[in-house]
Amino acid sequence: MLPGTACSPPLYTSIFHHMMRACLHQTNLISFYEERPGSFRVLHRVFSVPNITLFWRVYSDIVPGVCWSHSPSLGVTTQSAPTSTGTTLAFTLKIPYSSSFRRRLAMLSLDQFILDHPMYSKDGELSEVWVPGVAPDGPPWGMRPSTEMPPGKNKGDNDIRKYENVKECYEDLQKVLINAGLPETQDRSKQPRTDHNMDTTTICVLGAPSSAMSILLEGARQCPGKILLCLSTSWFCPAPPSPTTTVPLFIKQAVTFDFGGRTYLDTFSPPRRVTYLSWLGAPQFLMGEQFECPMGGSPKLSHLLANTLGVRLLLDTKQLPLTPALLLSNSYQLGFWGKYAMKAKTTRVIELCQKEGREETIRQEISAFLTSLKMKGHQKVVLKTFWPYPGRSPAISFYSSQDAPQVSDVVVGLFSELPQGQAVLLEGFVTTVPPRRITPSSPPACIPRCSVRPPELTIRLCAVVCRSRGDQPILSKVVCMVGRAEKPLCHRLALPQSLDTTLDSWGVLDETQKRNVWVQIKEASEKVMKAVMEEEKNMNPKERGGNKVQTDVLGVDMLLTCVDYMVSPVILGVSTDLCLESCGIHECVLGSLAAGRSTTVDSASSPLIETMLRRSMTYVMEGKEVLVIGAGGISKKFIWQAAQSYGIKIHLVESNPEHFASSLVTSFIHYDYEDFSCDNEEHAQNILSIVREKGLHLSGCMAFWDECTILAAILCGMLGLPGPPPNAVKLAKRKTQTQLCLLNTTAPNPPFPYAGAFAVPCFSLGPGTGGVEAAESVLSYPLVLKPESGAGAVGVRLVQDPDECRRLVQKMGVELEASKLISNDESSGIDAGGVYHKEEGCKPRIGGSCEPIVPEVGLSNGVSNADLTEPINATVQIPPPLLAEYITGSEHDVDLVLGFNGRLLAAYVSDNGPTLLPGFTETAAALPSRLSLERRCQLVQAASRSCRALGLYPGVFNVELKMTDSGPRLLEINPRMGGFYLRDWIRHIYGTDLVLVALALSCGLEPALPEKGAQESAVLVGIMCTGESHEKALGSTANPQRLSELHNAGYIRFNRLEGCPVHVPDQEPYGNVACQGESQKEARERLLGVCSALGLDSQGYPLRYLTGEFQ
């Protein structure tokens, strides 16, 4: 139109309508907007309003760049604003064509326009071709348009579009990083990365940068350099030909997230094998093959979960909190979810396939439904129209529940106009909990007042639920968005904030009330995740999209309403990418405060990273072959079961040919390594010959049983497999040598302090040492008499004075003055060479092991796994006992994971209760430790530095220490994985399976371990059950069957150990009984109640005293 030309309102509307279409055609966006059903109809309704003044006032701020003078750079100008109907208009329109114009139009115009329209989706959100309403220079918390090839375009055009999309996603990533206060990505693609192999942990996240940011930043913190962002399927490379149906997945280019959130654009040569793929449902990533790597999500699962109606029907069958609904279907394809149509509790499904009588049925059903809504207190009804297109957001409108004729007319009209496959859903409108207004103080009379009616507000909640070990759902984070109640509140329209902050602003200040709200949200969201996981178990691999595909994270949208004067959540639906995006925004906002001061925030993805790392390590270890020396007793049964579940092939070498573990491993090798006529080197050589004869292709070699650790270390050296050096294992096995080694490590090199600072003075009673008198000259009573090697504190005694010390030493058969070993006429003796002679039977132990009988003291002499039916006639080399200074303070266990250069990979600190003196058998324990963070770090440093001083790495080791007033002191180092209950507790609290970690290190793999566990907020407190103190209870009220029932029901955690349920002097415990709580105090109170009912609390075993420190 020429400048100055007059036009009437209808003519103006028509011209403007055609101009808009011309703009969209010129910018190649017409097909994009026409893909969304109803888009141009909505435009026409707005542009056809007769009141031009209203149009000018309302929409001139909504369509910048098209409406008048709001964007002069686009050539839109006006001489004067129209003020009434019939006003003469004069304007000039210029249409420059550029990619930036197309992006600005996509980002600003229609999005902001539609958001204010009543038909905009409330819970369906923006589809894959819809772009969020943010400023051009704002954070790109959204997805770009679909990369599907439009009709009429050739493949070359599509390739160009894919390239542009990758470039735009990369630019989006930079904007997100800047918004989070992180440096931009550094390009290292010209120097390909080569420091990886087939077993390197590689977690690949596939999705939009905004949705993946929470996962990526948490992954960079917990496993830096091992988590990658893929922006295009072109960054993958074809796998080598394989006859199997699944193939490995390799990546040749990615954005690597490293320490401190630093990112690098990397290429990999050779391509890096993906060990875990996280699928966040981005539509531009289309994959047709099934991959053998574990996957969190898949295109098929995303398609199923995107079916809003189907998911609603699934959740409705689980009796979850949903609004009442009426579903009117016109051949709408529910597909996989159709089986739940008739099982829903609150959703009534009506099929309207036949046109005859359809209108009457619609009116009757709607009338009955609205009547039921009014009885339940719903003042409005929400009408949603669903199209038979995947990923389309439903159109939404609101009506009064009192006006059944109007609602019926609208629905009848929809079914008469729209095509087959449409569905209409009527839901009761949920009124959110109103805030408790806090009246501000009135200003003085001299200050003018302004009375403003506060707007009605609403809250929308985003809950992120992750899959934890054992397929248990766990709520990781909840964020809220607050907005005005008169229009739908959607994602991306408000800054997310924490639930605690929201409840504070809502006037809910009582911590108990806050806790109740959190518990209800937690229960509802975890039930949603549980329902999805149970449904996936019933799917075949084709339906899931792969053999190792499962949903590991789920986003649940909810509202808070009031039911019977109680605040209760109502589920709106599931939207994983948008909920993760909201959590990522919240974390970035808190992590980039003003003045460069950052704060640590809880990540929604922390439990998810734990799951990713666990599944990744399991995938890498699958099919590995490991030689294990020694089967141990019944308490080690879980090792062979765990290896089976992980797909690890165990070749077990055991001296007992009838050991129960023979049926639980891949191959069982009977070899009598307890033949003491041969030393460890000879045994290792013999086992090596057997391995070569069998043609085993071993990846690792190790031992879980204490008495076989030296032999396993020697074998590792012979086989050229990774593991701790034999000399280091020997030093750790000899307690005196351990302490002396630490005291001698005083080289003037960092790190400081020297490891000797943690050593405890001790004195060996071996030949030529001077015996007890020499020990008394350097040590002061009270002292601890203990064997040089052993486990479970068997045979360890406190001696208070010289007389008691000499009496116990003499009963052991040790000469007091010269420490010369003498013979015991009755059953045993130790000669001058330190050689133990035994002619009679041995004391049996549960699990096929035995120990030489030593009167009263019962010191473990290192003889294990012998045949119970045969006497020991061999000559056994037994180390002499030792005396050590008695250290006061609290006792703790530190379970360490050390890498190949001695680097600390993980450490888990637990507390031990007081022992029943003069014995030192463990009585009670708690995990995690009650100590402060600083104290726990001191214990970890003492443990790790002591192991490194011995050269004891790589591997998983158990270190026992005491925390004194002057810092930690070392009691002993066990050169193998911690025993008793420790593996089970650490796995439950932290999600780390030390069995899998130990096997991985033995295979030369340095695992990436989660920094914190999903259940770390929980605490376990347990007590030991011994035949000596609990014989009566273990045979009646706490019999094995009863303990097993309580364990399976979740009331306790019971771990079977090596001891007997009957009274045998100085034996290991029979088992461990533990209870869980949110604090040590809560867990302790539960434990005391359970043990009282089981009869485990007694005067001789006072549990209140033994657990008194756990409060």
Side-chain angles (χ1 to χ4, degrees), residues 37-38 41-42 45 119 326 328-330 352 355 358-359 362-363 366 382-388 394-399 405-426:
R41 182 184 61 206
V42 174
R45 287 179 60 186
M119 291 189 68
L326 173 65
L328 302 171
S329 172
N330 180 13
L352 301 171
K355 290 187 178 181
R358 175 186 294 177
E359 180 176 345
I362 290 175
R363 295 185 182 277
I366 290 178
V382 184
L383 190 151
K384 299 181 181 179
T385 306
F386 292 86
W387 291 274
I396 297 179
S397 54
F398 303 89
Y399 301 92
Q406 181 188 12
V407 177
S408 299
D409 291 342
V410 172
V411 174
V412 170
L414 287 174
F415 275 101
S416 63
E417 295 177 2
L418 295 177
Q420 287 287 108
Q422 175 201 5
V424 172
L425 182 70
L426 296 173

Side-chain angles (χ1 to χ4, degrees), residues 423-450:
V424 172
L425 182 70
L426 296 173
E427 290 181 318
F429 180 83
V430 178
T431 303
T432 57
V433 179
R436 300 174 185 174
R437 300 291 184 185
I438 301 177
T439 305
S441 58
S442 300
C446 61
I447 299 178
R449 300 186 182 186
C450 180

Side-chain angles (χ1 to χ4, degrees), residues 1 26 54 57 126 133 173 191 275 407 460 574 661 679 756 761 824 1039 1061 1096:
M1 180 179 297
Q26 284 293 327
L54 176 64
R57 183 174 70 250
L126 308 174
L173 174 62
Q191 298 85 33
T275 59
V407 177
R460 181 167 184 152
V574 297
D679 59 19
N824 187 309
N1039 61 73
L1096 298 175

Side-chain angles (χ1 to χ4, degrees), residues 286-304:
L286 304 176
M287 305 167 67
E289 294 186 88
Q290 289 192 7
F291 300 104
E292 67 178 19
C293 67
M295 290 180 62
S298 70
K300 291 190 176 181
L301 284 183
S302 296
H303 180 78
L304 287 175

Side-chain angles (χ1 to χ4, degrees), residues 166 169-170 172-174 176-177 185 202-213 215-217 225-232 235-236 251 253-258 263-266 268 277-278 280 282 285:
V166 173
C169 286
Y170 187 80
D172 285 356
L173 174 62
Q174 307 315 306
V176 173
L177 292 172
T185 303
T202 305
I203 297 174
C204 185
V205 180
L206 210 58
S210 58
S211 301
M213 194 51 55
I215 300 174
L216 295 168
L217 293 181
K226 301 182 186 297
I227 187 160
L228 313 176
L229 172 63
C230 181
L231 298 177
S232 170
W235 290 9
F236 292 114
I251 190 167
Q253 184 173 359
V255 178
T256 304
F257 278 70
D258 213 329
T263 55
Y264 305 94
L265 180 61
D266 287 330
F268 305 103
L277 179 62
S278 177
L280 296 182
F285 302 117

Side-chain angles (χ1 to χ4, degrees), residues 285-344:
F285 302 117
L286 304 176
M287 305 167 67
E289 294 186 88
Q290 289 192 7
F291 300 104
E292 67 178 19
C293 67
M295 290 180 62
S298 70
K300 291 190 176 181
L301 284 183
S302 296
H303 180 78
L304 287 175
L305 294 177
N307 190 326
T308 306
L309 292 179
V311 173
R312 179 192 168 88
L313 293 176
L314 169 66
L315 301 182
D316 206 355
T317 61
K318 307 298 180 180
Q319 298 182 343
L320 287 164
L322 299 166
T323 58
L326 173 65
L327 176 60
L328 302 171
S329 172
N330 180 13
S331 302
Y332 185 86
Q333 298 299 318
L334 289 171
F336 179 83
W337 306 111
K339 56 187 177 183
Y340 294 115
M342 297 296 108
K343 299 179 181 179

Side-chain angles (χ1 to χ4, degrees), residues 625-630 649-653 667 669 687-688 691 696 698-704 712 715-716 719 721 999 1002-1003:
E625 300 187 33
V626 181
L627 185 70
V628 178
I629 312 299
K649 300 177 181 179
I650 299 294
H651 304 285
L652 179 61
V653 178
S667 69
I669 302 173
I687 295 174
L688 180 62
V691 168
L696 301 180
L698 300 176
S699 299
C701 174
M702 64 172 301
F704 291 98
L715 261 172
C716 283
L719 291 167
L721 297 173
L999 291 170
S1002 74
C1003 294

Side-chain angles (χ1 to χ4, degrees), residues 528-544:
V528 173
M529 181 66 164
K530 191 71 173 179
V532 172
M533 291 192 301
E534 289 175 354
E535 192 62 35
E536 288 178 4
K537 289 181 181 179
N538 300 325
M539 298 179 185
N540 56 48
K542 185 177 181 180
E543 291 172 328
R544 292 195 307 269

